[in-house]
Each structure stands twice: as C-alpha cells, then as structure tokens.
Amino acid sequence: MSEKKTMAAGRRAMLKGTAALAGTALGSGALGGFPTIWGQTTKNIALRQFGTGVSNINEIADKCKADLGITLQMTALDSDAVVQRAVTQPNSYDIADIEYWMVKKVFPANVLQAMDVKKIKYFDKIVPIFTSGKLKPDSKIAQGTAPSTVGFVEGAGSTKFAKGQTGWFTMIPTIYNADTLGIRPDLVGREITSWKDILDPKFKGKTSILNIPSIGIMDAAMICESADIVKYGDKGNMTKAEIDKTIAFLIKTKKDGQFRAFWKTFDESVNLMASGEVVIQSMWSPAVTAVRSKGVQCIYQPLKEGYRAWGGGLGLAKHLTGDKLAAAYDYINWYMSGWVGAFLNRQGYYSAVLDTAKANMSEDEWGFWMEGKPAKGEIKNPQGKVMEKPGAVRDGGSFYDRMGAVSCWNAVMDEDRYMVQKWNSFIAA
C-alpha cells in the first residue's frame, strides 16, 4: 500500500497523535476474561516489526508497551522494499507486517513460520473473509489474491499454500478495506456511478490513478472492464495479452491528456484532491478523510462494479523461538483483543475481530463506521479531531455493504514480472 517516503510516511504523519487517544477507547482492550496483566514471562522483550506505514503506528507501539511491557521497534518502508527485506534479510526482523498479495511472494521463500491456530485466542472470531474466504455463506470469493487463498499452509514447516483451512495460519489479519474512487462532488458536476467515469472527456487533465504497479493495475482493470475495453478471464491473474491491452489503453489515455498525475504517496493524493487539480482519482479511505479535514468536499464514491480490496497482517519470522516467540503470540492476541481494532476502525479501516473492537467503541461510533447509520454526535478520529458532524453517513454504507461488494483483491499475478515491466513503460511513456 505504500511507496517511497510513501503513504507509509503520509499515513503515519496523519495518524500521529498523543497519549490522549487512550481516552477515546471505552475499555482497556481486555475482553472475555483476558487478565489485565498479560504474559508476565514476555515483559521487557523487544520485537522488531517492519512493514508499510498503514499499520506501523506509534500509538499502537505505545499502548503495547503499556499493556504488555513489550517494546515494538517499528520500521515503515514502501511496498517493494517490504517484500525485498522480508525475503532477503529474514534475520533483521521478528514481525513482518505485510499485505496478502505480498504473502504470495514472501511465504514460499521460507522466511516466515506458520502460526499454530490453537495459540490464537480469537481465531474463531476472525472475519471469515480471511478463513473461509466468504464474508457470508452465500458470498463469492473475489478475484485477485484473496486472503483465504494464501491464509493457510499444509503443515507446521510447510511453505505450500493449502486449498482450505488447516491448523497452520500464514499470518494474522489485522487491517483491511474496500477501495474505490475519490471525487470532488463540488467539481465533477454530475453523478459518478462507474469506474469508467474517470475516462469522461469532461475530466480531461483532472484525473489520477496511483503508481504502485500491483495496485494500480487492478484499478486500471476495474476501469477497462467497466468501459468494455478489456474483458478479463481473471483481473487478478491477467494473461500477457490482457496486460498488453490494458497497458496499451493506459498509454493512449495518458497521451490524450486524460491524467493529471500518477501519485505514489498518501500526501500526493490528498494534495491533488484538496487543491482541485484533480476531481476524480484512485484514493484510500483515510486520504478522503484528510481532504475533508481541510474543509474540502470529498466523497469515497461507491460504484456499481464494486470495490478493489486489500488486507494486511502480521507474520512471524522463522527464527523466532522461546520467550520471543511467546511474546509474539502475546502481542498478536493483544492486537485482536479490541483496543487496536477500535483505533483502526476510527481511521476508516476494518479490524479482523469485530466483537472486541465493538466493545472498545461507543454505540454511535460503531453505528457510523460499521453499520452505516447516521452519526448522532460528532465522529472523531483516534486523536480526538472531529471528522464528521451529526447526521453524517459513511460513504458506501455498512461494513457488509462495502466488504460484500468487493470485485477483486490486490494481486500478484503469474505474469507479475512482465506486468511490472509493462506498467513502468506506461509511466515512462
């Protein structure tokens, strides 16, 4: 989800706050009989965690230290650097905070260890997207690298992904969302209903998509498919011919002047939209919030073709043993116990265990963020800044409305290397 100084830095900067945010949580994070004092044997242990900035958040490290006595040494990198470090420097970290499309690249390198689900306190409460693959029993598994397809391996020492659930989890899901196009309703001048609306000549020179290949190509596919330019067998695993058609269209569209920019960082996307240079573009939910916080109208627009989804989680380094491994499991169980989930939900993301997050939020907060209900009072971010006023409704509605309308997940294709080369030729064109 991030690139160079990246959204990592961008999202981090936006998420930075003070210890006062502890007052926004209604509970200590202890739920369902969990003792106030966590694993005593793992106190005073340091765990080195690295990943993208979306969830390497200072407040989480501070709260972890206060509750567990465990010190989290966090490093935020861009997406490509995360994958490279995970594979080539496995002894430089204890916890890999990575996305599910990255798991497809990282886990086969035998640098992470599978997690014993019996040691995961809230395993049975994890949103089923990450276990069975289906949000509801009648849901379809979306295209792309759906988390459930890389969620389990065949055994304790295996690097082979299992076709169904086993007792060995590749990583714990922590954060996810359904992404769509952001728009400036005061400047677009008409209703936006489809991904292809970004191609409207009316918006020439005022559109943008993100320049992170594994994510940008999925947005491009949503656009091309909705405009009947390319019909994909599987958007998340394109053939070379489908990649060629997609990139050829992007290059033509670029040369025609439709795009204003190709952003890599969170801040770039915020500035493009807040300034009015761009009126419709790929965005992330907190970036829309950041634009609104500047007093500028911005909507995360639900579209008839559905959303592009992403998700991330925590993986355990292969070398972890003994007290450090026990500390890592303590950390993971604490992470899902509610305080962090509520923190992430207030940012516009979704947490992997809903029950515990709900117990750490007010009824009004939960109604706004998760149930699509109008806010009764002011809705504040984790640092206490007002984000929405009474009566506001979350763009896209409820959790089930949004995550139930996912068309594809960020993906690593069989032709990934070829796709990246072609994407770079588009950016350079």
Side-chain angles (χ1 to χ4, degrees), residues 43-84:
K43 294 193 78 168
N44 302 317
I45 285 178
L47 294 174
R48 300 164 298 165
Q49 176 175 315
F50 82 106
T52 58
V54 60
S55 50
N56 280 274
I57 299 165
N58 293 336
E59 288 93 337
I60 293 176
D62 293 343
K63 184 66 172 169
C64 178
K65 179 69 172 177
D67 285 0
L68 302 184
I70 293 172
T71 299
L72 290 178
Q73 300 169 347
M74 291 181 166
T75 303
L77 304 171
D78 66 77
S79 294
D80 290 339
V82 166
V83 174
Q84 184 178 25

mmCIF file of all heavy atoms in Angstrom, residues 43-84:
data_model
loop_
_atom_site.group_PDB
_atom_site.id
_atom_site.type_symbol
_atom_site.label_atom_id
_atom_site.label_comp_id
_atom_site.label_asym_id
_atom_site.label_seq_id
_atom_site.Cartn_x
_atom_site.Cartn_y
_atom_site.Cartn_z
ATOM 1 N N LYS A 43 7.455 -9.922 29.395
ATOM 2 C CA LYS A 43 7.695 -8.495 29.624
ATOM 3 C C LYS A 43 9.155 -8.162 29.358
ATOM 4 O O LYS A 43 10.048 -9.003 29.483
ATOM 5 C CB LYS A 43 7.317 -8.111 31.062
ATOM 6 C CG LYS A 43 5.821 -8.229 31.339
ATOM 7 C CD LYS A 43 5.436 -7.570 32.634
ATOM 8 C CE LYS A 43 5.350 -6.063 32.485
ATOM 9 N NZ LYS A 43 4.713 -5.412 33.644
ATOM 10 N N ASN A 44 9.390 -6.925 28.993
ATOM 11 C CA ASN A 44 10.740 -6.410 28.753
ATOM 12 C C ASN A 44 11.428 -7.047 27.545
ATOM 13 O O ASN A 44 12.653 -7.030 27.442
ATOM 14 C CB ASN A 44 11.620 -6.568 29.997
ATOM 15 C CG ASN A 44 11.027 -5.857 31.204
ATOM 16 O OD1 ASN A 44 10.538 -4.737 31.082
ATOM 17 N ND2 ASN A 44 11.037 -6.529 32.348
ATOM 18 N N ILE A 45 10.637 -7.628 26.663
ATOM 19 C CA ILE A 45 11.171 -8.163 25.407
ATOM 20 C C ILE A 45 10.911 -7.150 24.299
ATOM 21 O O ILE A 45 9.862 -6.501 24.269
ATOM 22 C CB ILE A 45 10.526 -9.528 25.075
ATOM 23 C CG1 ILE A 45 11.128 -10.609 25.978
ATOM 24 C CG2 ILE A 45 10.696 -9.890 23.611
ATOM 25 C CD1 ILE A 45 10.542 -11.981 25.785
ATOM 26 N N ALA A 46 11.847 -7.015 23.397
ATOM 27 C CA ALA A 46 11.675 -6.129 22.242
ATOM 28 C C ALA A 46 11.430 -6.972 21.006
ATOM 29 O O ALA A 46 12.096 -7.987 20.780
ATOM 30 C CB ALA A 46 12.918 -5.262 22.044
ATOM 31 N N LEU A 47 10.450 -6.559 20.209
ATOM 32 C CA LEU A 47 10.159 -7.210 18.935
ATOM 33 C C LEU A 47 10.354 -6.201 17.807
ATOM 34 O O LEU A 47 9.834 -5.088 17.862
ATOM 35 C CB LEU A 47 8.717 -7.729 18.917
ATOM 36 C CG LEU A 47 8.380 -8.855 19.886
ATOM 37 C CD1 LEU A 47 6.885 -9.149 19.856
ATOM 38 C CD2 LEU A 47 9.179 -10.120 19.572
ATOM 39 N N ARG A 48 11.113 -6.603 16.804
ATOM 40 C CA ARG A 48 11.379 -5.731 15.658
ATOM 41 C C ARG A 48 10.308 -5.977 14.595
ATOM 42 O O ARG A 48 10.211 -7.080 14.067
ATOM 43 C CB ARG A 48 12.761 -6.030 15.085
ATOM 44 C CG ARG A 48 13.918 -5.813 16.068
ATOM 45 C CD ARG A 48 15.185 -6.488 15.568
ATOM 46 N NE ARG A 48 15.001 -7.933 15.465
ATOM 47 C CZ ARG A 48 15.822 -8.749 14.797
ATOM 48 N NH1 ARG A 48 16.883 -8.265 14.160
ATOM 49 N NH2 ARG A 48 15.586 -10.054 14.765
ATOM 50 N N GLN A 49 9.525 -4.961 14.327
ATOM 51 C CA GLN A 49 8.447 -5.074 13.345
ATOM 52 C C GLN A 49 8.695 -4.105 12.202
ATOM 53 O O GLN A 49 9.055 -2.954 12.421
ATOM 54 C CB GLN A 49 7.100 -4.763 14.000
ATOM 55 C CG GLN A 49 5.923 -4.753 13.019
ATOM 56 C CD GLN A 49 4.592 -4.558 13.725
ATOM 57 O OE1 GLN A 49 4.326 -5.191 14.744
ATOM 58 N NE2 GLN A 49 3.762 -3.681 13.201
ATOM 59 N N PHE A 50 8.488 -4.584 10.987
ATOM 60 C CA PHE A 50 8.588 -3.679 9.852
ATOM 61 C C PHE A 50 7.437 -3.940 8.902
ATOM 62 O O PHE A 50 6.819 -5.007 8.906
ATOM 63 C CB PHE A 50 9.927 -3.868 9.122
ATOM 64 C CG PHE A 50 9.922 -5.022 8.156
ATOM 65 C CD1 PHE A 50 9.877 -4.797 6.790
ATOM 66 C CD2 PHE A 50 9.927 -6.331 8.610
ATOM 67 C CE1 PHE A 50 9.849 -5.865 5.901
ATOM 68 C CE2 PHE A 50 9.899 -7.393 7.735
ATOM 69 C CZ PHE A 50 9.860 -7.163 6.366
ATOM 70 N N GLY A 51 7.122 -2.933 8.107
ATOM 71 C CA GLY A 51 6.042 -3.071 7.140
ATOM 72 C C GLY A 51 5.728 -1.722 6.546
ATOM 73 O O GLY A 51 6.515 -0.779 6.652
ATOM 74 N N THR A 52 4.580 -1.621 5.908
ATOM 75 C CA THR A 52 4.159 -0.342 5.353
ATOM 76 C C THR A 52 3.577 0.525 6.462
ATOM 77 O O THR A 52 3.211 0.039 7.526
ATOM 78 C CB THR A 52 3.120 -0.540 4.236
ATOM 79 O OG1 THR A 52 2.002 -1.259 4.753
ATOM 80 C CG2 THR A 52 3.719 -1.314 3.079
ATOM 81 N N GLY A 53 3.496 1.810 6.213
ATOM 82 C CA GLY A 53 3.097 2.748 7.247
ATOM 83 C C GLY A 53 1.644 2.689 7.634
ATOM 84 O O GLY A 53 1.241 3.290 8.618
ATOM 85 N N VAL A 54 0.853 1.933 6.873
ATOM 86 C CA VAL A 54 -0.573 1.910 7.142
ATOM 87 C C VAL A 54 -0.882 1.426 8.552
ATOM 88 O O VAL A 54 -1.816 1.889 9.188
ATOM 89 C CB VAL A 54 -1.308 1.044 6.096
ATOM 90 C CG1 VAL A 54 -0.814 -0.370 6.098
ATOM 91 C CG2 VAL A 54 -2.801 1.067 6.299
ATOM 92 N N SER A 55 -0.088 0.493 9.073
ATOM 93 C CA SER A 55 -0.383 -0.022 10.414
ATOM 94 C C SER A 55 0.821 -0.022 11.339
ATOM 95 O O SER A 55 0.735 -0.509 12.459
ATOM 96 C CB SER A 55 -0.968 -1.435 10.317
ATOM 97 O OG SER A 55 -0.165 -2.260 9.498
ATOM 98 N N ASN A 56 1.959 0.489 10.890
ATOM 99 C CA ASN A 56 3.089 0.681 11.799
ATOM 100 C C ASN A 56 2.914 2.049 12.456
ATOM 101 O O ASN A 56 3.464 3.056 12.008
ATOM 102 C CB ASN A 56 4.405 0.573 11.036
ATOM 103 C CG ASN A 56 4.799 -0.868 10.798
ATOM 104 O OD1 ASN A 56 5.419 -1.490 11.644
ATOM 105 N ND2 ASN A 56 4.394 -1.411 9.662
ATOM 106 N N ILE A 57 2.116 2.066 13.495
ATOM 107 C CA ILE A 57 1.617 3.307 14.079
ATOM 108 C C ILE A 57 2.172 3.467 15.497
ATOM 109 O O ILE A 57 2.120 2.541 16.309
ATOM 110 C CB ILE A 57 0.074 3.277 14.103
ATOM 111 C CG1 ILE A 57 -0.471 3.159 12.667
ATOM 112 C CG2 ILE A 57 -0.482 4.523 14.774
ATOM 113 C CD1 ILE A 57 -1.932 2.768 12.610
ATOM 114 N N ASN A 58 2.686 4.647 15.777
ATOM 115 C CA ASN A 58 3.333 4.890 17.072
ATOM 116 C C ASN A 58 2.414 4.612 18.252
ATOM 117 O O ASN A 58 2.842 4.073 19.281
ATOM 118 C CB ASN A 58 3.843 6.332 17.140
ATOM 119 C CG ASN A 58 4.978 6.588 16.175
ATOM 120 O OD1 ASN A 58 5.681 5.665 15.779
ATOM 121 N ND2 ASN A 58 5.170 7.834 15.784
ATOM 122 N N GLU A 59 1.145 5.010 18.143
ATOM 123 C CA GLU A 59 0.225 4.824 19.264
ATOM 124 C C GLU A 59 0.046 3.346 19.615
ATOM 125 O O GLU A 59 -0.148 2.990 20.780
ATOM 126 C CB GLU A 59 -1.152 5.432 18.942
ATOM 127 C CG GLU A 59 -1.174 6.940 18.944
ATOM 128 C CD GLU A 59 -0.925 7.535 17.573
ATOM 129 O OE1 GLU A 59 -0.312 6.854 16.719
ATOM 130 O OE2 GLU A 59 -1.321 8.691 17.346
ATOM 131 N N ILE A 60 0.082 2.478 18.598
ATOM 132 C CA ILE A 60 -0.053 1.047 18.857
ATOM 133 C C ILE A 60 1.156 0.547 19.637
ATOM 134 O O ILE A 60 1.024 -0.231 20.590
ATOM 135 C CB ILE A 60 -0.236 0.273 17.533
ATOM 136 C CG1 ILE A 60 -1.590 0.646 16.902
ATOM 137 C CG2 ILE A 60 -0.153 -1.228 17.770
ATOM 138 C CD1 ILE A 60 -1.840 0.017 15.534
ATOM 139 N N ALA A 61 2.341 1.007 19.244
ATOM 140 C CA ALA A 61 3.559 0.612 19.960
ATOM 141 C C ALA A 61 3.511 1.089 21.406
ATOM 142 O O ALA A 61 3.886 0.357 22.337
ATOM 143 C CB ALA A 61 4.789 1.163 19.253
ATOM 144 N N ASP A 62 3.042 2.322 21.619
ATOM 145 C CA ASP A 62 2.966 2.873 22.978
ATOM 146 C C ASP A 62 1.994 2.072 23.843
ATOM 147 O O ASP A 62 2.269 1.769 25.008
ATOM 148 C CB ASP A 62 2.533 4.338 22.927
ATOM 149 C CG ASP A 62 3.568 5.248 22.288
ATOM 150 O OD1 ASP A 62 4.740 4.828 22.179
ATOM 151 O OD2 ASP A 62 3.200 6.373 21.881
ATOM 152 N N LYS A 63 0.838 1.745 23.272
ATOM 153 C CA LYS A 63 -0.171 1.001 24.028
ATOM 154 C C LYS A 63 0.286 -0.428 24.305
ATOM 155 O O LYS A 63 0.034 -0.976 25.387
ATOM 156 C CB LYS A 63 -1.495 0.996 23.252
ATOM 157 C CG LYS A 63 -2.664 0.333 23.980
ATOM 158 C CD LYS A 63 -3.078 1.091 25.224
ATOM 159 C CE LYS A 63 -4.376 0.507 25.796
ATOM 160 N NZ LYS A 63 -4.669 1.053 27.148
ATOM 161 N N CYS A 64 0.982 -1.020 23.359
ATOM 162 C CA CYS A 64 1.529 -2.369 23.543
ATOM 163 C C CYS A 64 2.522 -2.380 24.699
ATOM 164 O O CYS A 64 2.503 -3.279 25.539
ATOM 165 C CB CYS A 64 2.191 -2.837 22.253
ATOM 166 S SG CYS A 64 2.946 -4.478 22.372
ATOM 167 N N LYS A 65 3.357 -1.371 24.758
ATOM 168 C CA LYS A 65 4.335 -1.267 25.841
ATOM 169 C C LYS A 65 3.639 -1.115 27.189
ATOM 170 O O LYS A 65 4.007 -1.753 28.180
ATOM 171 C CB LYS A 65 5.267 -0.072 25.590
ATOM 172 C CG LYS A 65 6.317 0.159 26.671
ATOM 173 C CD LYS A 65 7.363 -0.941 26.689
ATOM 174 C CE LYS A 65 8.495 -0.592 27.645
ATOM 175 N NZ LYS A 65 9.489 -1.691 27.719
ATOM 176 N N ALA A 66 2.586 -0.291 27.213
ATOM 177 C CA ALA A 66 1.862 -0.053 28.461
ATOM 178 C C ALA A 66 1.131 -1.308 28.938
ATOM 179 O O ALA A 66 1.118 -1.616 30.135
ATOM 180 C CB ALA A 66 0.872 1.092 28.265
ATOM 181 N N ASP A 67 0.527 -2.040 28.002
ATOM 182 C CA ASP A 67 -0.288 -3.194 28.377
ATOM 183 C C ASP A 67 0.520 -4.471 28.580
ATOM 184 O O ASP A 67 0.226 -5.271 29.468
ATOM 185 C CB ASP A 67 -1.354 -3.456 27.308
ATOM 186 C CG ASP A 67 -2.506 -2.462 27.361
ATOM 187 O OD1 ASP A 67 -2.473 -1.569 28.222
ATOM 188 O OD2 ASP A 67 -3.427 -2.577 26.524
ATOM 189 N N LEU A 68 1.519 -4.683 27.726
ATOM 190 C CA LEU A 68 2.254 -5.949 27.737
ATOM 191 C C LEU A 68 3.672 -5.848 28.273
ATOM 192 O O LEU A 68 4.271 -6.860 28.623
ATOM 193 C CB LEU A 68 2.327 -6.532 26.313
ATOM 194 C CG LEU A 68 1.022 -6.819 25.578
ATOM 195 C CD1 LEU A 68 1.324 -7.471 24.233
ATOM 196 C CD2 LEU A 68 0.115 -7.713 26.386
ATOM 197 N N GLY A 69 4.222 -4.638 28.270
ATOM 198 C CA GLY A 69 5.627 -4.494 28.607
ATOM 199 C C GLY A 69 6.543 -4.857 27.445
ATOM 200 O O GLY A 69 7.767 -4.898 27.597
ATOM 201 N N ILE A 70 5.955 -5.142 26.289
ATOM 202 C CA ILE A 70 6.737 -5.496 25.100
ATOM 203 C C ILE A 70 7.045 -4.229 24.313
ATOM 204 O O ILE A 70 6.153 -3.423 24.029
ATOM 205 C CB ILE A 70 5.961 -6.492 24.209
ATOM 206 C CG1 ILE A 70 5.816 -7.832 24.934
ATOM 207 C CG2 ILE A 70 6.651 -6.679 22.861
ATOM 208 C CD1 ILE A 70 4.899 -8.815 24.226
ATOM 209 N N THR A 71 8.288 -4.053 23.930
ATOM 210 C CA THR A 71 8.701 -2.911 23.127
ATOM 211 C C THR A 71 8.640 -3.282 21.651
ATOM 212 O O THR A 71 9.288 -4.249 21.226
ATOM 213 C CB THR A 71 10.136 -2.473 23.480
ATOM 214 O OG1 THR A 71 10.182 -2.095 24.852
ATOM 215 C CG2 THR A 71 10.576 -1.293 22.613
ATOM 216 N N LEU A 72 7.866 -2.534 20.885
ATOM 217 C CA LEU A 72 7.805 -2.724 19.435
ATOM 218 C C LEU A 72 8.731 -1.708 18.771
ATOM 219 O O LEU A 72 8.553 -0.503 18.919
ATOM 220 C CB LEU A 72 6.381 -2.526 18.914
ATOM 221 C CG LEU A 72 5.340 -3.577 19.279
ATOM 222 C CD1 LEU A 72 3.990 -3.165 18.715
ATOM 223 C CD2 LEU A 72 5.734 -4.947 18.755
ATOM 224 N N GLN A 73 9.721 -2.200 18.067
ATOM 225 C CA GLN A 73 10.624 -1.342 17.311
ATOM 226 C C GLN A 73 10.147 -1.349 15.865
ATOM 227 O O GLN A 73 10.386 -2.291 15.118
ATOM 228 C CB GLN A 73 12.060 -1.850 17.437
ATOM 229 C CG GLN A 73 12.556 -1.866 18.874
ATOM 230 C CD GLN A 73 13.860 -2.616 19.055
ATOM 231 O OE1 GLN A 73 14.310 -3.337 18.179
ATOM 232 N NE2 GLN A 73 14.478 -2.442 20.214
ATOM 233 N N MET A 74 9.408 -0.302 15.477
ATOM 234 C CA MET A 74 8.727 -0.284 14.187
ATOM 235 C C MET A 74 9.529 0.440 13.110
ATOM 236 O O MET A 74 10.113 1.483 13.352
ATOM 237 C CB MET A 74 7.360 0.389 14.322
ATOM 238 C CG MET A 74 6.351 -0.411 15.123
ATOM 239 S SD MET A 74 4.754 0.463 15.205
ATOM 240 C CE MET A 74 3.690 -0.855 15.788
ATOM 241 N N THR A 75 9.514 -0.124 11.919
ATOM 242 C CA THR A 75 10.134 0.498 10.746
ATOM 243 C C THR A 75 9.126 0.488 9.614
ATOM 244 O O THR A 75 8.557 -0.573 9.301
ATOM 245 C CB THR A 75 11.394 -0.273 10.311
ATOM 246 O OG1 THR A 75 12.316 -0.341 11.396
ATOM 247 C CG2 THR A 75 12.057 0.403 9.120
ATOM 248 N N ALA A 76 8.886 1.639 9.002
ATOM 249 C CA ALA A 76 7.948 1.746 7.889
ATOM 250 C C ALA A 76 8.724 1.901 6.580
ATOM 251 O O ALA A 76 9.605 2.737 6.459
ATOM 252 C CB ALA A 76 7.018 2.937 8.091
ATOM 253 N N LEU A 77 8.387 1.059 5.605
ATOM 254 C CA LEU A 77 9.038 1.067 4.299
ATOM 255 C C LEU A 77 7.985 1.103 3.204
ATOM 256 O O LEU A 77 6.800 0.897 3.451
ATOM 257 C CB LEU A 77 9.899 -0.195 4.131
ATOM 258 C CG LEU A 77 10.981 -0.453 5.192
ATOM 259 C CD1 LEU A 77 11.562 -1.854 4.990
ATOM 260 C CD2 LEU A 77 12.075 0.602 5.104
ATOM 261 N N ASP A 78 8.425 1.326 1.950
ATOM 262 C CA ASP A 78 7.483 1.232 0.842
ATOM 263 C C ASP A 78 7.257 -0.237 0.483
ATOM 264 O O ASP A 78 7.976 -1.129 0.918
ATOM 265 C CB ASP A 78 7.981 2.031 -0.368
ATOM 266 C CG ASP A 78 9.232 1.460 -0.983
ATOM 267 O OD1 ASP A 78 9.129 0.447 -1.701
ATOM 268 O OD2 ASP A 78 10.328 2.025 -0.759
ATOM 269 N N SER A 79 6.236 -0.486 -0.321
ATOM 270 C CA SER A 79 5.790 -1.858 -0.582
ATOM 271 C C SER A 79 6.889 -2.737 -1.159
ATOM 272 O O SER A 79 7.106 -3.867 -0.698
ATOM 273 C CB SER A 79 4.597 -1.831 -1.551
ATOM 274 O OG SER A 79 3.480 -1.233 -0.954
ATOM 275 N N ASP A 80 7.577 -2.254 -2.183
ATOM 276 C CA ASP A 80 8.619 -3.064 -2.810
ATOM 277 C C ASP A 80 9.743 -3.363 -1.821
ATOM 278 O O ASP A 80 10.289 -4.467 -1.790
ATOM 279 C CB ASP A 80 9.180 -2.355 -4.043
ATOM 280 C CG ASP A 80 8.176 -2.302 -5.185
ATOM 281 O OD1 ASP A 80 7.236 -3.126 -5.171
ATOM 282 O OD2 ASP A 80 8.328 -1.452 -6.079
ATOM 283 N N ALA A 81 10.102 -2.372 -0.991
ATOM 284 C CA ALA A 81 11.165 -2.568 -0.007
ATOM 285 C C ALA A 81 10.747 -3.570 1.061
ATOM 286 O O ALA A 81 11.585 -4.323 1.582
ATOM 287 C CB ALA A 81 11.548 -1.236 0.633
ATOM 288 N N VAL A 82 9.471 -3.588 1.397
ATOM 289 C CA VAL A 82 8.967 -4.545 2.379
ATOM 290 C C VAL A 82 9.176 -5.968 1.877
ATOM 291 O O VAL A 82 9.688 -6.838 2.593
ATOM 292 C CB VAL A 82 7.477 -4.292 2.685
ATOM 293 C CG1 VAL A 82 6.869 -5.472 3.439
ATOM 294 C CG2 VAL A 82 7.315 -3.022 3.513
ATOM 295 N N VAL A 83 8.767 -6.218 0.642
ATOM 296 C CA VAL A 83 8.908 -7.563 0.069
ATOM 297 C C VAL A 83 10.381 -7.958 0.003
ATOM 298 O O VAL A 83 10.766 -9.077 0.383
ATOM 299 C CB VAL A 83 8.264 -7.634 -1.326
ATOM 300 C CG1 VAL A 83 8.540 -8.991 -1.974
ATOM 301 C CG2 VAL A 83 6.760 -7.390 -1.243
ATOM 302 N N GLN A 84 11.221 -7.037 -0.455
ATOM 303 C CA GLN A 84 12.642 -7.329 -0.595
ATOM 304 C C GLN A 84 13.286 -7.653 0.753
ATOM 305 O O GLN A 84 14.033 -8.622 0.892
ATOM 306 C CB GLN A 84 13.361 -6.156 -1.252
ATOM 307 C CG GLN A 84 14.839 -6.423 -1.516
ATOM 308 C CD GLN A 84 15.511 -5.263 -2.223
ATOM 309 O OE1 GLN A 84 15.074 -4.118 -2.125
ATOM 310 N NE2 GLN A 84 16.576 -5.545 -2.957
#
